[in-house]
Amino acid sequence: MDVTLFPNDIFLLIIAYLSPLDFFLCHRVSKAFNAAFTESELNRHMLLSHYPRARELRSTLGPSDVDWTPLFARVAARYHHLRLGKPRSIEKLSLGKSFVVPKWARCYPVGIWQRHLKFEEKIAPFHYPDTLWTFDDGLLIFPSAKSQCYELYDLDAGTRTVIDFEPESKVVRRIRLKDRVLIVEWCEQEPYHQLNENEMVYRHFATAYDINQEAGVWNSKIRNEWKIHFLGMPLNSRDCFISTHSSTHYALYLWQPNRSAWGEDDPIEALAIWDISESSQYRPSEDTNGRAKPENEEGPRVIRRLSFADLDFYKIRQRSTPVIRNLEIDEMSLYVIEEDHRWLVGQQASHHLPRLHRVKSVGIPFAVGPRWEDDCGADGDVNLSFCERASDARSPGTAPCWRHEEFPYLTITEAVDAEAGVKFSARHCFMLETISIHLRPKIRMNGPGYEVSLQDDLWPQLLGKGKICGDERFLIGENTNQEIVILHFDRDISEEHSV
């Protein structure tokens, strides 16, 4: 009996029992089956049934605008490889970075806290240095050793574009892409003045670039520039600054050892928030004395600056044992994310460690107002459970409980595509390391979804800097050979390069 001859409503009831794999095997039964099972509207129905959270359903304009047959095949193949934990292809991009030559690749990473995990004789990292690449919503920006320039790589389209922010005249400290705004934090190549017999001070700036697409081509346009430290700072591993930004605001926390000749111990700390929404042609890096700045010039402006007293008031002053991990931001508030752990040791480890693991988010409004605090210092029970909060809760004002959701494993980094229901988690417990993929392709699922682990040899390929990024299509990390490694679950790069 040929089911393709059944009325459409009965035919749909029958194929509802087919898995995506069985559905595609039906293409091979006969010409009649192939014609029926490649019909566009039927493939849209299958896509809605099996993968309603897929990106293709969220980005298309309407049922009549696309051919759903190849789209369903692409999505089904993607999730097939995600469930297997095996990428379709692996791509590696060599990074160009140095401190001396070539000039375009000069960089000096920002210092990190001197804290690491130690239990009995086992040691594991707790903080990792920044990557000199950044990723957001399918766009990767990195210094390409092959092209000898900074490139924007559109991973979905497979195209690359030069991003010229004049790196030859800068020492890059950090780059970050978010909400289609690229922030380049940098300092001058020549020191500003001599701090002491061992250290030189460099003036630091941040430059914002709008990343736009015109006629299918990505381009960058400078929006504005501002000083991020009015006195400058040395280039060493002891001085640390942490920053974040949105499309309209930028925030920076600065921590520097006190080099006072009067023997003061407490480090210098500062926290400031800028409004960077307005464009400006004024470049403070080209006007060292500030005399050419127009009086009514629009551009970046500080809307909140916190003194030592303010930091004490909000209970976020770090002193000599900093626990701040990163900053988050939304439309109205800045959030200081703090973290402490029982097994932390090192020069800057706390003198009063928590029982197990403590994470906290402290919110500070852009305008003067009360603090917001979300604290998870859960002590755990006999089953090592921590908190009842949903494991998929993610927001700037929420304590990052996901860091310890599988204690004693520590989730050192994750890549979450919340809309697609896909989450990549990299966890370690000293010598035990695992990268897992969590899949919830349907909006409402009765069970926990699917969880698979990537093969063990991918940990050193992706976690050289303790950072992964990505979405349902690909996963990005960095190995120990100064290479960006991209796991493609969506397409086979080797086949494209061979064409």
Side-chain angles (χ1 to χ4, degrees):
M1 182 178 295
D2 191 347
V3 297
T4 63
L5 300 178
F6 285 5
N8 191 57
D9 54 346
I10 299 178
F11 180 60
L12 291 177
L13 289 174
I14 294 174
I15 67 168
Y17 292 94
L18 297 179
S19 68
L21 178 59
D22 293 333
F23 181 85
F24 288 109
L25 289 176
C26 288
H27 290 193
R28 305 179 182 180
V29 174
S30 66
K31 290 183 178 180
F33 267 59
N34 183 269
F37 281 84
T38 55
E39 196 270 326
S40 180
E41 187 60 28
L42 176 63
N43 279 262
R44 176 176 175 269
H45 174 79
M46 291 294 290
L47 185 57
L48 284 167
S49 299
H50 290 276
Y51 311 109
R53 303 176 72 171
R55 175 177 297 268
E56 284 75 4
L57 285 172
R58 303 195 308 268
S59 60
T60 50
L61 299 176
S64 61
D65 298 313
V66 295
D67 182 358
W68 293 99
T69 302
L71 278 184
F72 178 50
R74 178 177 180 177
V75 174
R78 176 198 309 155
Y79 277 87
H80 172 73
H81 285 85
L82 283 170
R83 288 180 180 177
L84 292 177
K86 295 181 180 180
R88 296 185 66 177
S89 60
I90 299 178
E91 184 177 14
K92 295 184 179 181
L93 307 171
S94 296
L95 291 166
K97 51 184 178 179
S98 70
F99 184 59
V100 183
V101 292
K103 286 186 176 183
W104 75 269
R106 287 184 177 181
C107 68
Y108 197 99
V110 180
I112 60 175
W113 305 132
Q114 303 303 309
R115 304 192 300 170
H116 58 273
L117 296 170
K118 183 177 182 181
F119 181 71
E120 296 178 345
E121 299 302 319
K122 293 175 287 213
I123 296 177
F126 192 67
H127 297 282
Y128 294 83
D130 286 328
T131 60
L132 197 61
W133 53 270
T134 180
F135 170 86
D136 184 57
D137 195 23
L139 302 181
L140 173 68
I141 296 179
F142 69 104
S144 171
K146 180 179 180 180
S147 301
Q148 296 288 290
C149 65
Y150 279 81
E151 285 189 340
L152 184 152
Y153 183 9
D154 185 334
L155 271 70
D156 187 48
T159 59
R160 300 191 192 185
T161 307
V162 174
I163 297 295
D164 185 13
F165 53 81
E166 299 178 340
E168 298 85 357
S169 61
K170 301 175 174 64
V171 175
V172 177
R173 303 301 307 273
R174 182 192 286 130
I175 63 173
R176 182 178 56 253
L177 177 66
K178 188 176 181 181
D179 299 333
R180 293 288 190 266
V181 177
L182 172 67
I183 299 291
V184 180
E185 296 166 338
W186 58 279
C187 69
E188 297 172 321
Q189 297 188 37
E190 300 299 327
Y192 176 56
H193 67 82
Q194 182 89 31
L195 180 64
N196 53 48
E197 61 180 10
N198 297 319
E199 294 179 303
M200 307 292 289
V201 171
Y202 295 77
R203 278 186 295 229
H204 281 65
F205 305 88
T207 309
Y209 298 83
D210 290 309
I211 305 298
N212 300 304
Q213 190 176 34
E214 297 178 1
V217 178
W218 291 100
N219 61 76
S220 61
K221 180 180 179 181
I222 186 169
R223 179 194 290 186
N224 45 46
E225 180 182 287
W226 62 97
K227 288 184 179 180
I228 60 176
H229 193 295
F230 292 97
L231 299 178
M233 68 183 81
L235 296 182
N236 57 45
S237 60
R238 296 190 300 158
D239 295 73
C240 177
F241 65 90
I242 301 171
S243 62
T244 187
H245 81 277
S246 65
S247 61
T248 56
H249 291 85
Y250 171 88
L252 178 136
Y253 167 79
L254 172 69
W255 188 98
Q256 290 183 277
N258 198 319
R259 298 173 172 89
S260 172
W262 303 101
E264 298 173 355
D265 295 329
D266 283 342
I268 299 171
E269 298 180 65
L271 179 61
I273 304 170
W274 282 259
D275 183 332
I276 61 171
S277 58
E278 297 293 337
S279 299
S280 173
Q281 298 297 319
Y282 175 68
R283 306 289 178 259
S285 60
E286 300 172 1
D287 181 24
T288 57
N289 296 320
R291 297 174 181 173
K293 184 177 181 179
E295 293 184 4
N296 299 321
E297 174 71 16
E298 295 182 349
R301 57 187 178 88
V302 176
I303 59 174
R304 190 84 193 271
R305 191 184 301 277
L306 278 71
S307 64
F308 284 174
D310 296 324
L311 296 177
D312 278 328
F313 173 79
Y314 286 111
K315 299 181 181 179
I316 55 173
R317 191 172 176 185
Q318 304 295 307
R319 291 187 165 83
S320 59
T321 56
V323 294
I324 179 173
R325 170 166 286 276
N326 62 288
L327 301 176
E328 298 285 350
I329 202 168
D330 62 17
E331 294 81 6
M332 299 297 293
S333 301
L334 171 69
Y335 300 91
V336 177
I337 311 300
E338 296 183 345
E339 183 173 9
D340 213 356
H341 199 286
R342 166 128 182 118
W343 297 329
L344 280 176
V345 297
Q347 180 182 349
Q348 295 171 330
S350 173
H351 303 307
H352 305 285
L353 296 171
R355 180 175 179 266
L356 290 175
H357 191 188
R358 188 182 189 91
V359 290
K360 180 194 293 187
S361 177
V362 179
I364 303 170
F366 292 164
V368 176
R371 75 199 293 262
W372 160 272
E373 181 176 312
D374 186 43
D375 189 350
C376 181
D379 291 332
D381 54 24
V382 293
N383 297 316
L384 294 179
S385 59
F386 276 85
C387 58
E388 298 179 357
R389 179 174 292 161
S391 61
D392 59 352
R394 303 288 187 275
S395 69
T398 303
C401 300
W402 54 268
R403 291 274 292 174
H404 58 213
E405 63 186 5
E406 302 238 356
F407 188 86
Y409 275 86
L410 175 69
T411 305
I412 65 171
T413 181
E414 65 173 10
V416 180
D417 189 340
E419 292 182 318
V422 176
K423 178 177 67 175
F424 299 91
S425 300
R427 301 187 180 100
H428 76 55
C429 184
F430 296 100
M431 301 305 294
L432 303 175
E433 301 167 333
T434 179
I435 305 176
S436 301
I437 309 176
H438 309 255
L439 301 173
R440 296 180 65 86
K442 295 187 178 181
I443 298 174
R444 295 179 179 85
M445 296 187 68
N446 296 325
Y450 310 91
E451 180 173 351
V452 295
S453 296
L454 295 177
Q455 57 196 58
D456 294 340
D457 62 348
L458 287 176
W459 180 279
Q461 290 294 308
L462 294 170
L463 273 300
K465 287 293 184 65
K467 173 183 175 180
I468 56 174
C469 297
D471 55 35
E472 60 176 303
R473 299 166 294 177
F474 23 70
L475 182 64
I476 307 166
E478 181 178 340
N479 62 22
T480 56
N481 298 323
Q482 292 196 169
E483 293 177 320
I484 299 174
V485 179
I486 306 172
L487 307 187
H488 289 271
F489 294 93
D490 215 30
R491 65 181 198 264
D492 190 339
I493 297 298
S494 61
E495 291 182 359
E496 295 179 9
H497 290 173
S498 63
V499 175

Coordinates of all heavy atoms in Angstrom, one line a residue, residues 342-382:
R342 N 36.5 27.1 48.0 CA 37.2 26.5 49.1 C 38.6 26.2 48.8 O 39.5 26.3 49.7 CB 36.4 25.3 49.6 CG 37.2 24.4 50.6 CD 36.4 24.2 51.8 NE 37.2 23.3 52.7 CZ 37.5 23.8 53.9 NH1 37.2 25.0 54.3 NH2 38.1 23.0 54.8
W343 N 38.9 25.7 47.6 CA 40.2 25.2 47.3 C 41.2 26.2 46.7 O 42.2 25.8 46.1 CB 40.1 24.0 46.4 CG 39.3 22.8 47.1 CD1 39.3 22.5 48.4 CD2 38.5 21.9 46.4 NE1 38.5 21.5 48.6 CE2 38.0 21.0 47.4 CE3 38.1 21.7 45.1 CZ2 37.1 20.0 47.2 CZ3 37.2 20.6 44.8 CH2 36.7 19.8 45.8
L344 N 40.9 27.5 46.8 CA 41.7 28.5 46.2 C 42.9 28.8 47.0 O 42.9 28.9 48.3 CB 40.9 29.8 46.0 CG 40.0 29.9 44.8 CD1 39.2 31.2 44.8 CD2 40.8 29.7 43.5
V345 N 44.1 28.8 46.3 CA 45.3 29.2 46.9 C 46.0 30.2 46.0 O 45.6 30.4 44.9 CB 46.3 28.0 47.2 CG1 45.6 27.1 48.2 CG2 46.6 27.3 45.9
G346 N 47.0 30.9 46.5 CA 47.7 31.8 45.6 C 47.9 33.2 46.4 O 47.3 33.4 47.4
Q347 N 48.7 34.0 45.7 CA 49.0 35.3 46.3 C 47.8 36.2 46.7 O 47.8 36.9 47.7 CB 50.0 36.1 45.4 CG 50.4 37.4 45.9 CD 51.3 38.1 44.9 OE1 51.7 37.5 43.9 NE2 51.6 39.4 45.1
Q348 N 46.8 36.1 45.9 CA 45.6 36.9 46.0 C 44.4 36.1 46.5 O 43.3 36.6 46.5 CB 45.3 37.6 44.7 CG 46.4 38.6 44.3 CD 46.2 39.2 42.9 OE1 45.6 38.5 42.1 NE2 46.6 40.4 42.7
A349 N 44.6 34.9 47.0 CA 43.4 34.1 47.5 C 42.9 34.7 48.8 O 43.7 35.3 49.6 CB 43.9 32.7 47.8
S350 N 41.6 34.6 49.1 CA 41.0 35.1 50.2 C 41.5 34.5 51.5 O 41.9 33.3 51.5 CB 39.5 34.9 50.1 OG 38.8 35.3 51.3
H351 N 41.5 35.3 52.6 CA 41.9 34.7 53.9 C 40.8 34.0 54.6 O 41.0 33.4 55.6 CB 42.4 35.9 54.8 CG 43.6 36.7 54.2 ND1 44.7 36.0 53.7 CD2 43.7 38.0 54.0 CE1 45.5 36.9 53.3 NE2 45.0 38.1 53.4
H352 N 39.5 34.2 54.1 CA 38.3 33.6 54.7 C 37.6 32.9 53.6 O 36.6 33.5 53.0 CB 37.5 34.7 55.4 CG 38.2 35.5 56.4 ND1 38.6 35.0 57.7 CD2 38.7 36.8 56.4 CE1 39.2 35.9 58.3 NE2 39.3 37.0 57.6
L353 N 38.0 31.7 53.3 CA 37.4 31.0 52.2 C 36.0 30.4 52.6 O 35.8 30.1 53.7 CB 38.3 29.8 51.8 CG 39.7 30.2 51.2 CD1 40.6 29.0 51.0 CD2 39.5 31.0 49.9
P354 N 35.1 30.3 51.6 CA 33.8 29.7 51.9 C 33.9 28.2 52.2 O 34.9 27.6 51.9 CB 33.0 30.0 50.6 CG 34.0 30.0 49.5 CD 35.2 30.6 50.2
R355 N 32.8 27.6 52.7 CA 32.8 26.2 53.0 C 33.0 25.4 51.7 O 33.8 24.4 51.7 CB 31.5 25.8 53.6 CG 31.4 24.3 54.0 CD 30.1 24.0 54.7 NE 30.1 22.6 55.0 CZ 29.4 21.7 54.3 NH1 28.9 22.1 53.1 NH2 29.4 20.4 54.6
L356 N 32.4 25.8 50.6 CA 32.6 25.1 49.3 C 32.8 26.1 48.2 O 33.9 26.3 47.8 CB 31.4 24.1 49.0 CG 31.3 22.9 50.0 CD1 30.0 22.1 49.6 CD2 32.5 22.0 49.8
H357 N 31.7 26.6 47.7 CA 31.8 27.5 46.5 C 30.8 28.6 46.6 O 29.6 28.3 46.8 CB 31.6 26.7 45.2 CG 32.0 27.4 43.9 ND1 31.7 26.9 42.7 CD2 32.6 28.6 43.7 CE1 32.1 27.7 41.8 NE2 32.6 28.7 42.4
R358 N 31.2 29.8 46.4 CA 30.3 30.9 46.5 C 30.4 31.8 45.3 O 31.4 32.2 44.8 CB 30.7 31.8 47.7 CG 29.7 32.9 48.1 CD 30.2 33.7 49.3 NE 29.2 34.6 49.8 CZ 28.4 34.4 50.7 NH1 28.3 33.2 51.3 NH2 27.5 35.3 51.1
V359 N 29.2 32.1 44.7 CA 29.1 33.0 43.6 C 28.1 34.1 43.9 O 27.1 33.9 44.6 CB 28.7 32.3 42.3 CG1 29.8 31.4 41.8 CG2 27.4 31.5 42.5
K360 N 28.3 35.3 43.4 CA 27.4 36.4 43.7 C 27.4 37.4 42.6 O 28.3 37.6 41.8 CB 28.0 37.1 45.0 CG 27.1 38.3 45.4 CD 27.9 39.2 46.4 CE 28.1 38.5 47.7 NZ 28.7 39.4 48.8
S361 N 26.2 38.1 42.4 CA 26.1 39.2 41.5 C 25.6 40.4 42.2 O 24.5 40.3 42.9 CB 25.1 38.8 40.4 OG 24.9 39.9 39.5
V362 N 26.3 41.5 42.2 CA 26.0 42.7 42.8 C 25.6 43.8 41.8 O 26.5 44.1 40.9 CB 27.1 43.2 43.7 CG1 26.7 44.6 44.4 CG2 27.5 42.2 44.8
G363 N 24.4 44.3 41.8 CA 24.0 45.2 40.8 C 24.1 46.6 41.3 O 23.8 47.0 42.4
I364 N 24.6 47.5 40.4 CA 24.8 48.9 40.7 C 24.1 49.7 39.6 O 24.4 49.6 38.4 CB 26.3 49.3 40.7 CG1 27.0 48.5 41.7 CG2 26.4 50.8 41.0 CD1 28.5 48.6 41.6
P365 N 23.1 50.6 39.9 CA 22.4 51.3 38.9 C 23.3 52.4 38.3 O 24.2 52.9 38.9 CB 21.2 52.0 39.7 CG 21.7 52.0 41.1 CD 22.6 50.8 41.3
F366 N 23.0 52.7 37.0 CA 23.7 53.8 36.3 C 23.6 55.1 37.1 O 24.5 55.9 37.2 CB 23.2 53.9 34.9 CG 23.5 52.8 34.0 CD1 22.9 52.6 32.8 CD2 24.5 51.8 34.4 CE1 23.2 51.5 32.0 CE2 24.8 50.7 33.6 CZ 24.1 50.6 32.3
A367 N 22.4 55.3 37.6 CA 22.2 56.5 38.4 C 22.3 56.1 39.9 O 22.4 54.9 40.2 CB 20.8 57.1 38.2
V368 N 22.4 57.1 40.8 CA 22.5 56.8 42.2 C 21.3 56.0 42.7 O 20.1 56.4 42.4 CB 22.7 58.1 43.0 CG1 22.7 57.7 44.5 CG2 23.9 58.8 42.6
G369 N 21.5 54.9 43.4 CA 20.4 54.1 43.9 C 20.9 52.9 44.7 O 22.1 52.7 44.9
P370 N 20.0 52.1 45.2 CA 20.3 51.0 46.0 C 21.0 49.9 45.2 O 20.8 49.8 44.0 CB 19.0 50.5 46.6 CG 18.0 50.9 45.6 CD 18.5 52.2 45.1
R371 N 21.7 49.0 45.9 CA 22.4 47.9 45.2 C 21.4 46.7 45.1 O 20.5 46.6 45.9 CB 23.6 47.5 46.0 CG 23.3 46.7 47.3 CD 24.5 46.7 48.3 NE 25.6 46.0 47.9 CZ 25.9 44.7 48.2 NH1 25.0 44.1 49.0 NH2 26.9 44.1 47.8
W372 N 21.7 45.9 44.1 CA 21.0 44.6 44.0 C 22.0 43.5 44.2 O 23.1 43.5 43.8 CB 20.4 44.5 42.5 CG 20.1 43.1 42.1 CD1 20.9 42.2 41.6 CD2 18.9 42.4 42.3 NE1 20.3 41.0 41.4 CE2 19.0 41.1 41.8 CE3 17.6 42.8 42.8 CZ2 17.9 40.2 41.8 CZ3 16.6 41.9 42.8 CH2 16.7 40.6 42.3
E373 N 21.6 42.5 45.0 CA 22.5 41.4 45.3 C 21.8 40.0 45.1 O 20.7 39.8 45.6 CB 23.0 41.5 46.7 CG 24.0 40.4 47.1 CD 24.6 40.6 48.5 OE1 25.0 41.7 48.8 OE2 24.6 39.6 49.3
D374 N 22.4 39.1 44.4 CA 21.9 37.8 44.3 C 23.1 36.9 44.6 O 24.1 36.8 43.9 CB 21.5 37.5 42.8 CG 20.8 36.1 42.7 OD1 20.0 35.7 43.6 OD2 21.2 35.4 41.8
D375 N 23.0 36.2 45.8 CA 24.1 35.5 46.4 C 23.8 34.0 46.4 O 22.7 33.6 46.9 CB 24.3 36.0 47.8 CG 25.6 35.5 48.4 OD1 26.2 34.6 47.8 OD2 26.0 36.0 49.4
C376 N 24.7 33.2 46.0 CA 24.5 31.7 46.1 C 25.8 31.2 46.8 O 26.8 31.0 46.1 CB 24.3 31.0 44.8 SG 24.1 29.3 44.9
G377 N 25.7 31.1 48.1 CA 26.8 30.5 48.8 C 26.4 29.1 49.4 O 26.6 28.8 50.5
A378 N 25.6 28.4 48.5 CA 25.0 27.1 48.9 C 26.1 26.2 49.4 O 27.1 26.0 48.8 CB 24.3 26.5 47.8
D379 N 25.9 25.6 50.6 CA 26.9 24.7 51.2 C 26.8 23.3 50.7 O 27.7 22.5 51.0 CB 26.7 24.7 52.8 CG 27.1 26.1 53.4 OD1 28.0 26.7 52.7 OD2 26.6 26.4 54.4
G380 N 25.7 22.9 50.1 CA 25.5 21.6 49.6 C 25.0 20.7 50.7 O 25.1 21.0 51.9
D381 N 24.5 19.5 50.3 CA 24.1 18.5 51.3 C 24.8 17.2 51.1 O 25.9 17.2 50.4 CB 22.6 18.3 51.2 CG 22.1 18.0 49.8 OD1 23.0 17.4 49.0 OD2 21.0 18.2 49.4
V382 N 24.3 16.1 51.6 CA 25.0 14.9 51.5 C 25.1 14.4 50.1 O 26.0 13.6 49.7 CB 24.3 13.8 52.4 CG1 24.5 14.1 53.9 CG2 22.9 13.6 52.0

